[in-house]
C-alpha cells in the first residue's frame, strides 16, 4: 500500500492488481525486413511538453522525431526476418518505439505510461514488457529492392513523424530544469503490412537499445506534500476510549508561480467515514475541508481527525488498527 496518482487523483493509499492472459503467436507470412543500426546519422530529436502549472496526476508528453532524409541512420544492416518470398503487395516503412510502462528518472520523480502521441497505427504489448508504438508510412520501394539491400550495409531514413507517449506524473520532484535519461528501444522495419504485430519477440535480435535524453523545466507546480498520515491515539484505559480524539494535517502546496484548486475526500467520497478497528471499537474519521483553493506560491493545511467510538467499556487490551484512503483531485 502506498501513495500514488490514478487518473489525475492523488491517493494516500492505493492497491491494484493486474490480470495476465496467455498470448499465442500466429504464423506471419508478411515480408518483414528489419534494420540493425551499425552507426547513427542525425538520429532522433527529442522533446518534452509540460503544463504551465504541473500537478501530480497531470500528463506530460515525451516525443521523438526521426529524420525522413537519408542521413537518419548512416549505416544499417537490413535483415529479412519474415516471409522470405516477395508477394505482390505494397511496402511500408514501419518504425516502432518501445517505451517503458513506468520509470523513475530520479528518486523523487515517477512517471507511468498513459497513452500514445502521434500517428500511431498500433500499440503493441511487447515481449519485454515495453509499450511498442508503431507508426507506418507507405514507400514506393518494392520487396525485391529490399531483398537486394540485405547484401550489404547502407544508410536509411525514418518516417519523419513525431511519435511519443503521454506519461502521468505519480511523484513530482523538485521544480527547475531537468534532464531525464530514458531507455527506449527502436525497431526499424520495411513490411508489406502497416500493422499486424503480435509481441515483436521475433525481432528481439535486431532491437536497437539506447538511452534518450529529454530536457525541460518544471516551473509552476502543485502537489500533496503529506504522503502518509498517522492518527495515533496512543495507550489508554478502557474508560478513556469513548470520544477520544486526535488530529493530524494534510498539506497541499503550490510553488514556482503555481496555484490551484482541489477536492479532498475519503474512500466513501465524503468528508466523514467510519473505520472499524476491531473488538467493538470504531474510528470516526473527518476532514476539515472537502474543497480548497491554494493561492500562488502558498500552502493549505486540511485537518484530519479521528474520534473513537465504542458501545462498551469492556475492551480487551491490545493493538487496534485500521486504514482509510484520502484522495486529492485537482480541479
Amino acid at each position: 500500500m502506498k501513495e500514488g496518482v490514478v487518473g489525475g487523483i492523488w491517493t494516500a493509499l492505493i492497491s491494484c492488481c493486474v490480470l495476465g492472459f496467455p498470448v499465442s503467436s500466429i504464423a506471419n507470412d508478411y515480408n518483414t525486413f528489419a534494420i540493425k543500426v551499425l552507426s547513427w546519422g542525425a538520429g532522433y530529436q527529442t522533446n518534452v511538453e509540460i503544463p504551465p502549472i504541473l500537478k501530480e496526476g497531470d500528463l506530460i508528453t515525451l516525443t521523438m522525431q526521426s529524420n525522413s532524409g537519408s542521413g537518419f541512420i548512416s549505416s544499417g544492416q537490413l535483415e529479412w526476418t519474415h516471409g522470405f518470398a516477395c508477394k505482390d503487395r505494397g511496402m511500408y516503412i514501419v518504425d516502432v518505439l518501445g517505451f517503458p510502462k513506468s520509470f523513475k528518472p530520479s528518486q523523487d520523480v515517477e512517471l507511468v505510461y498513459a497513452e500514445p502521441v502521434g500517428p500511431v497505427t498500433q500499440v503493441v504489448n511487447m515481449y519485454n514488457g515495453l509499450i511498442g508504438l508503431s507508426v507506418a508510412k507507405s514507400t514506393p520501394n518494392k520487396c525485391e529492392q529490399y531483398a537486394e539491400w540485405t547484401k550489404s550495409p547502407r544508410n536509411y531514413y525514418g518516417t519523419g513523424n513525431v511519435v511519443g507517449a503521454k506519461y502521468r506524473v505519480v511523484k513530482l520532484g523538485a521544480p527547475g530544469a531537468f534532464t531525464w535519461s530514458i531507455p527506449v528501444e527502436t525497431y526499424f522495419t520495411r513490411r508489406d503490412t502497416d500493422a499486424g504485430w503480435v509481441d515483436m519477440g521475433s525481432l528481439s535480435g535486431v532491437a536497437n537499445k539506447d538511452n534518450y535524453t529529454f530536457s525541460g523545466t518544471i516551473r509552476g507546480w502543485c502537489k500533496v506534500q503529506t504522503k502518509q498520515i498517522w492518527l495515533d491515539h496512543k495507550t489508554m484505559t478502557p474508560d478513556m476510549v469513548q470520544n477520544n480524539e486526535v488530529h493530524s494535517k494534510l498539506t497541499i502546496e503550490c510553488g514556482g508561480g503555481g496555484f490551484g484548486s482541489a477536492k479532498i475526500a475519503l474512500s466513501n467520497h465524503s468528508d466523514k467515514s467510519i473505520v472499524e478497528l476491531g473488538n467493538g471499537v470504531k474510528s470516526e474519521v473527518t476532514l476539515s475541508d472537502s474543497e480548497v483553493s491554494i493561492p500562488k506560491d502558498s500552502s493549505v493545511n486540511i485537518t484530519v481527525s479521528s474520534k473513537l467510538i465504542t458501545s462498551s467499556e469492556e475492551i480487551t487490551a491490545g493493538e487496534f488498527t485500521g486504514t482509510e484512503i484520502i484522495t486529492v483531485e485537482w480541479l
Side-chain angles (χ1 to χ4, degrees):
M1 303 283 281
K2 62 179 182 179
E3 73 276 358
V5 177
V6 179
I9 301 176
W10 178 90
T11 62
L13 295 170
I14 62 171
S15 62
C16 67
C17 59
V18 178
L19 298 177
F21 299 93
V23 177
S24 60
S25 60
I26 59 176
N28 179 2
D29 70 340
Y30 289 104
N31 284 295
T32 301
F33 300 84
I35 303 168
K36 183 65 177 179
V37 175
L38 303 178
S39 61
W40 287 100
Y44 275 103
Q45 294 181 342
T46 62
N47 187 56
V48 184
E49 295 179 12
I50 298 176
I53 300 176
L54 184 63
K55 306 177 182 71
E56 290 176 329
D58 281 350
L59 297 175
I60 65 171
T61 302
L62 308 178
T63 57
M64 299 171 63
Q65 183 175 15
S66 62
N67 188 332
S68 58
S70 60
F72 176 58
I73 298 171
S74 61
S75 179
Q77 179 61 54
L78 193 66
E79 299 182 15
W80 198 343
T81 62
H82 295 82
F84 302 107
C86 289
K87 299 177 174 64
D88 188 20
R89 296 169 176 166
M91 297 295 290
Y92 297 87
I93 301 168
V94 185
D95 297 343
V96 181
L97 298 177
F99 279 90
K101 291 182 179 179
S102 65
F103 67 97
K104 297 179 180 179
S106 63
Q107 288 186 342
D108 58 350
V109 177
E110 183 177 356
L111 305 175
V112 174
Y113 171 82
E115 59 187 71
V117 175
V120 175
T121 55
Q122 184 182 352
V123 177
V124 186
N125 290 314
M126 296 179 64
Y127 66 97
N128 51 10
L130 298 178
I131 298 292
L133 306 181
S134 176
V135 60
K137 177 182 178 180
S138 61
T139 173
N141 293 324
K142 301 299 182 181
C143 176
E144 289 80 2
Q145 179 68 76
Y146 291 121
E148 179 67 23
W149 287 347
T150 61
K151 296 178 180 179
S152 61
R154 65 187 305 276
N155 62 16
Y156 287 95
Y157 54 88
T159 63
N161 295 121
V162 176
V163 182
K166 290 186 179 181
Y167 279 83
R168 193 172 304 282
V169 180
V170 175
K171 292 177 65 177
L172 175 60
F178 64 84
T179 298
W180 294 337
S181 180
I182 302 175
V184 180
E185 291 189 4
T186 54
Y187 299 77
F188 307 105
T189 67
R190 306 296 187 259
R191 310 184 77 200
D192 51 14
T193 178
D194 58 352
W197 298 114
V198 179
D199 64 1
M200 299 188 63
S202 60
L203 295 186
S204 60
V206 291
N208 302 286
K209 302 178 181 181
D210 205 349
N211 288 334
Y212 289 86
T213 299
F214 295 83
S215 299
T217 302
I218 298 174
R219 294 183 171 85
W221 54 271
C222 292
K223 63 181 177 179
V224 179
Q225 292 288 18
T226 308
K227 297 305 181 184
Q228 193 170 36
I229 296 171
W230 290 98
L231 293 166
D232 188 357
H233 289 265
K234 301 189 183 301
T235 304
M236 66 189 77
T237 57
D239 61 302
M240 298 170 59
V241 172
Q242 181 67 13
N243 294 324
N244 188 282
E245 194 166 351
V246 295
H247 310 276
S248 188
K249 67 179 181 179
L250 173 70
T251 301
I252 305 176
E253 184 177 4
C254 295
F259 57 90
S261 299
K263 285 185 178 180
I264 305 94
L266 298 168
S267 59
N268 60 357
H269 308 293
S270 74
D271 58 2
K272 182 181 293 187
S273 72
I274 301 297
V275 178
E276 295 283 349
L277 303 181
N279 196 23
V281 180
K282 302 177 182 179
S283 169
E284 182 182 74
V285 179
T286 58
L287 304 174
S288 61
D289 296 280
S290 59
E291 187 170 332
V292 295
S293 294
I294 304 94
K296 178 181 176 180
D297 297 332
S298 300
S299 64
V300 171
N301 292 326
I302 294 94
T303 301
V304 184
S305 303
S306 169
K307 183 172 73 173
L308 297 182
I309 303 171
T310 183
S311 57
S312 172
E313 292 185 0
E314 297 181 1
I315 302 172
T316 304
E319 183 177 356
F320 300 84
T321 61
T323 59
E324 176 58 291
I325 298 172
I326 302 174
T327 63
V328 177
E329 180 181 4
W330 297 102
L331 302 176

